[in-house]
Amino acid sequence: MSVQILALVGSLRAGSHNRQLAEAAVKHAPENVEVELFEGLAEVPFYNEDIDVEGSVPEAALRLRAAAGRADGFLLFSPEYNGTIPAVLKNAIDWLSRPFGASAFSGKPVAVIGTAFGQYGGVWAQDEARKAAGIAGATVLEDLKLSIPGSVTRFAETHPADDAEVVTGLTGVLTQLASRAGSPSA
């Protein structure tokens, strides 16, 4: 049986380099690791306790929670918007942290990686995503990091799936994440 990793991308842009990085994770997942790239974060409304009640939870939020429930671990892809985490990724974390006491993240490992145009590859946003996921109940794997700077130029003509250095880093993160997701101590 393979380890199931749910990938959440914090960019909605069609040509997003973080989405391309997530596609590379799907393509280059190690043997016995399946990466599901969640589609539909744009349809998940902003978290609101008034609509998070039985019978009123939006379908998109239910689909997100169901995908998270099937996952053994999570790989979050975060660009950096104005020095912090994109709203779409924070919103997904908020929905998955509820209902209180039943977080979809509880006991599951989470790694956060990404790429951004700046010289540090979005590390501030990735740190914020780690913080939010940890507060939401995840076992954040602080040692698993991959921040790729200069995305606009680096990936102008090369998809991340075809960049040998990126693929090596990405498969290393996936191997470690899957190892921890498959162990009882994760």
Side-chain angles (χ1 to χ4, degrees):
M1 183 169 196
S2 63
V3 175
Q4 303 295 310
I5 303 297
L6 183 62
L8 302 176
V9 179
S11 175
L12 301 177
R13 187 172 64 85
S16 163
H17 296 119
N18 280 281
R19 179 171 178 84
Q20 291 176 2
L21 191 59
E23 292 166 353
V26 171
K27 180 178 180 180
H28 293 289
E31 188 175 332
N32 297 321
V33 177
E34 185 178 330
V35 178
E36 176 188 352
L37 176 53
F38 184 79
E39 303 288 354
L41 285 183
E43 285 79 44
V44 179
F46 282 116
Y47 184 79
N48 177 343
E49 283 184 285
D50 291 342
I51 61 173
D52 190 11
V53 293
E54 192 171 334
S56 296
V57 179
E59 180 61 32
L62 290 172
R63 283 188 293 105
L64 175 62
R65 285 179 173 166
R70 294 187 301 271
D72 299 309
F74 299 86
L75 186 55
L76 310 183
F77 295 82
S78 185
E80 191 168 277
Y81 292 175
N82 298 312
T84 193
I85 185 174
V88 67
L89 187 55
K90 177 62 169 69
N91 189 50
I93 292 169
D94 290 345
W95 274 103
L96 294 177
S97 73
R98 301 285 197 260
F100 183 76
S103 171
F105 289 119
S106 289
K108 295 181 181 182
V110 172
V112 181
I113 66 173
T115 186
F117 178 63
Q119 65 180 336
Y120 302 111
V123 295
W124 288 348
Q126 293 156 30
D127 286 344
E128 290 294 319
R130 286 183 194 92
K131 176 183 170 186
I135 292 169
T139 301
V140 177
L141 305 177
E142 295 285 348
D143 60 325
L144 293 185
K145 297 180 180 178
L146 180 62
S147 301
I148 305 163
S151 61
V152 172
T153 53
R154 182 166 189 159
F155 302 126
E157 296 181 19
T158 303
H159 192 286
D162 300 323
D163 183 312
E165 182 182 13
V166 169
V167 170
T168 297
L170 188 57
T171 55
V173 167
L174 282 168
T175 299
Q176 288 296 313
L177 175 58
S179 170
R180 296 183 197 182
S183 73
S185 62

